[in-house]
């Protein structure tokens, strides 16, 4: 199975839409297998669905496992007609789209992507999010069907589009810890940087900065987590962040410059997800979280007996869990108020709401002026483990 899929997404003779579909199916299978190996008694439930407007997807979810409280690894391959307001909005970043706003016409679109959010049980195991996607806009011409055997696990072939007017990739991955354990943040960022650096030295710092800006909660004046990478609108066209406002040619920038090179970069980032996160999750979830225990048991063999433990391991379990739920409340706030993917999904005709809201945690908490964050006098706290994570959320840090 893997040999066939690998050949498919490496095959440069196939349309990019077919190659991307094959890759996200392959990546979804790998990621699910890795999580199920950590908790064999909590298998993912795979829900394969079809979109009547055009397309399909597989939503794979799990709840109430020993390691994962709630998690979803979703893929979707959808197509149809893009309404004029959406085209107008996209032309702001893609002026190459030849479109007359007065025509009132819709244009065919194609989108394929993988999106995942992992909310672990253990308060010291961070939440993680990743998303990689491909988007096309094409001429409004009749579609011809292509051979559906070109991709794995498909009951439906992908319609062949007309002349492509615009295309781009987007995505990224970011980490959201409850408490600050710097070795985890450094490992996560170093792994992503290594994946980026093989495709250009400017990519990681540019996309890391973009991530810090994107996952910002304005009404809280803090970031959702400790970041990672984020990018959008990546194609052969001029890119404002990578190529600069004054660049006269894409050739002047140090970054992937062809569709094949950009797709290779996206695969490098997707392939980096497991090594960036699984070691962290495995470490922080061992031994499994026990809410009835007064204090956490630290990972065996990781911290020498003659050295002090990281302070979060010395805090009461009830306090760790409470803070975890309060921080998950912030996760909900960002996703429902600011996240562009959530808002775009909810506005898309035929949207699968359950898959879109998969990113929300199973449990979250809001308290009025909780003392862990605001102190007993409402003026804030200093020197606590909760204040340490708040500091890096308010002023993003360079982890590499």
């Amino acid at each position: 199975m893997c040999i066939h899929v690998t050949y498919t997404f490496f095959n440069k003779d196939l349309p990019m839409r077919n190659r991307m579909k094959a890759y996200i199916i392959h990546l979804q299978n790998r990621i699910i297998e890795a999580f199920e190996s950590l908790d064999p008694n909590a298998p993912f439930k795979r829900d394969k669905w079809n979109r009547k407007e055009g397309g399909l997807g597989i939503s794979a979810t799990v709840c109430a496992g020993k390691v994962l409280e709630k998690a979803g690894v979703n893929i979707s391959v959808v197509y149809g007609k893009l309404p004029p307001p959406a085209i107008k909005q996209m032309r702001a970043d893609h002026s190459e789209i030849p479109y007359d706003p007065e025509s009132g016409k819709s244009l065919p679109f194609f989108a394929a992507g993988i999106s995942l959010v992992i909310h672990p049980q253990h308060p010291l195991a961070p939440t993680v999010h990743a998303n990689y996607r491909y988007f096309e806009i094409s001429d409004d011409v009749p579609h011809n069907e292509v051979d559906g055997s070109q991709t794995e696990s498909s009951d439906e072939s992908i319609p062949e589009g007309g002349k492509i007017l615009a295309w781009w990739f987007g995505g990224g991955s970011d980490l959201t810890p409850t408490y600050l354990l710097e070795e985890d943040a450094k490992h996560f960022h170093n792994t992503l940087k290594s994946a980026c650096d093989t495709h250009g030295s400017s990519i990681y710092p540019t996309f890391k900065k973009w991530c810090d800006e994107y996952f910002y909660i304005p009404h809280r004046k803090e970031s959702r987590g400790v970041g990672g990478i984020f990018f959008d609108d990546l194609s052969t066209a001029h890119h404002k962040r990578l190529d600069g406002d004054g660049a006269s040619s894409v050739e002047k920038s140090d970054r992937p410059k062809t569709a094949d090179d950009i797709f290779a970069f996206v695969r490098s980032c997707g392939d980096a997800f497991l090594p960036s996160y699984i070691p962290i999750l495995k470490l922080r979830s061992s031994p499994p979280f026990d809410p009835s225990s007064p204090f956490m048991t630290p990972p065996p063999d990781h911290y020498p007996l003659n050295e002090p433990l990281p302070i979060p391991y010395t805090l009461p379990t009830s306090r760790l869990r409470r803070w975890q739920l309060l921080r998950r409340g912030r996760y909900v706030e960002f996703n429902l108020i600011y996240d562009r993917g959530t808002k775009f999904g909810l506005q898309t005709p035929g949207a699968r709401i359950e898959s879109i809201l998969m990113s929300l945690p199973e449990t979250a908490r809001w308290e009025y002026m909780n003392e862990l964050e605001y102190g007993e006098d409402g003026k804030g706290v200093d020197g606590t483990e909760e204040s340490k994570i708040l500091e890096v959320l308010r002023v993003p840090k360079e982890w590499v």
Side-chain angles (χ1 to χ4, degrees):
M1 178 177 67
C2 289
I3 294 176
H4 173 72
V5 175
T6 301
Y7 172 77
T8 301
F9 61 72
F10 272 109
N11 187 346
K12 297 181 180 181
D13 293 329
L14 293 177
M16 186 60 75
R17 53 175 60 190
N18 296 70
R19 297 173 67 189
M20 185 63 174
K21 179 183 178 183
Y23 176 66
I24 61 177
I25 292 173
H26 168 71
L27 184 60
Q28 182 190 43
N29 287 333
R30 286 181 53 211
I31 291 173
I32 292 172
E33 289 170 2
F35 284 123
E36 289 181 336
S37 69
L38 290 181
D39 193 354
N41 295 321
F44 277 69
K45 176 184 176 182
R46 299 184 190 227
D47 177 21
K48 187 167 185 178
W49 49 268
N50 290 286
R51 178 176 177 266
K52 66 178 182 178
E53 293 82 2
L56 53 83
I58 303 173
S59 297
T61 60
V62 65
C63 287
K66 286 187 176 181
V67 176
L68 305 181
E69 182 172 344
K70 181 185 176 187
V73 184
N74 297 351
I75 61 171
S76 62
V77 181
V78 299
Y79 45 86
K81 290 296 186 70
L82 204 62
I87 299 172
K88 182 179 179 181
Q89 182 179 354
M90 288 181 176
R91 288 190 80 244
D93 295 308
H94 300 276
S95 58
E96 70 272 20
I97 301 175
Y99 182 74
D100 178 9
E102 303 300 323
S103 68
K105 291 176 58 178
S106 297
L107 288 177
F109 80 93
F110 172 89
I114 181 170
S115 180
L116 66 91
V117 177
I118 309 298
H119 295 290
Q121 290 277 13
H122 203 295
L124 299 185
T127 287
V128 72
H129 157 261
N131 172 284
Y132 295 101
R133 57 195 178 273
Y134 172 70
F135 200 94
E136 278 182 7
I137 297 178
S138 59
D139 268 337
D140 191 6
V141 298
H143 291 307
N144 296 316
E145 296 296 319
V146 298
D147 181 6
S149 65
Q150 290 173 337
T151 55
E152 179 198 6
S153 302
S154 173
D155 297 331
E156 180 181 319
S157 58
I158 303 176
E160 184 178 4
K163 178 183 178 182
I164 298 175
L165 303 177
W167 61 268
W168 61 89
F169 286 92
S173 183
D174 61 285
L175 197 69
T176 305
T178 299
Y179 285 90
L180 183 61
L181 294 162
E182 292 202 4
E183 63 179 302
D184 295 351
K186 291 177 180 178
H187 169 82
F188 186 78
H189 276 268
N190 268 303
T191 307
L192 291 179
K193 182 178 184 299
S194 296
C196 292
D197 283 353
T198 58
H199 300 274
S201 59
S202 65
I203 293 178
Y204 170 78
T206 301
F207 292 170
K208 191 270 183 189
K209 183 175 184 294
W210 199 349
C211 186
D212 290 336
E213 295 170 357
Y214 179 80
F215 292 103
Y216 182 72
I217 309 173
H219 66 272
R220 297 290 190 178
K221 295 182 173 56
E222 65 187 35
S223 297
R224 189 176 75 175
V226 296
I229 60 170
F230 174 88
F231 63 95
D232 203 0
D233 304 316
L234 189 58
S235 68
T236 54
H238 180 274
H239 195 281
K240 184 184 298 185
R241 287 182 180 259
L242 283 174
D243 305 325
D245 290 328
S248 59
S249 171
V250 175
E251 297 299 324
K252 291 184 178 181
S253 64
D254 175 24
R255 56 97 153 182
K257 300 176 177 67
T258 68
D260 286 332
D261 289 344
I262 295 170
F263 183 43
F265 161 69
V266 171
R267 295 199 313 271
S268 292
C269 293
D271 293 345
F273 171 75
L274 288 175
S276 73
Y277 183 65
I278 290 294
I280 298 173
L281 179 64
K282 187 175 182 180
L283 172 65
R284 301 302 169 197
S285 298
S286 175
F289 173 55
D290 180 4
S292 66
S293 176
F295 291 92
M296 296 288 185
T297 302
D301 304 323
H302 186 71
Y303 297 109
L305 293 177
N306 60 340
E307 294 184 8
L309 285 171
I311 295 177
Y313 280 104
T314 68
L315 300 178
T317 299
S318 58
R319 175 171 167 173
L320 297 178
R321 176 61 172 168
R322 180 183 168 207
W323 184 243
Q324 179 190 45
L325 297 183
L326 288 168
R327 295 312 307 170
R328 284 185 176 171
R330 302 294 168 86
Y331 204 93
V332 172
E333 290 175 28
F334 175 85
N335 282 26
L336 293 183
I337 300 173
Y338 301 110
D339 185 61
R340 293 190 313 187
T342 301
K343 291 194 288 187
F344 178 81
L346 294 176
Q347 295 169 0
T348 302
R352 186 174 173 82
I353 304 302
E354 291 298 318
S355 296
I356 296 169
L357 298 181
M358 168 276 298
S359 65
L360 302 181
E362 185 177 53
T363 50
R365 183 175 182 137
W366 286 264
E367 294 181 20
Y368 181 77
M369 300 294 288
N370 76 85
E371 79 282 359
L372 294 176
E373 179 173 359
Y374 297 101
E376 298 293 345
D377 58 4
K379 297 181 180 180
V381 293
D382 292 310
T384 67
E385 292 306 295
E386 291 80 15
S387 69
K388 290 178 182 178
I389 186 65
L390 289 172
E391 287 175 12
V392 300
L393 298 182
R394 290 164 180 165
V395 182
K397 182 176 179 178
E398 296 300 324
W399 297 103
V400 178

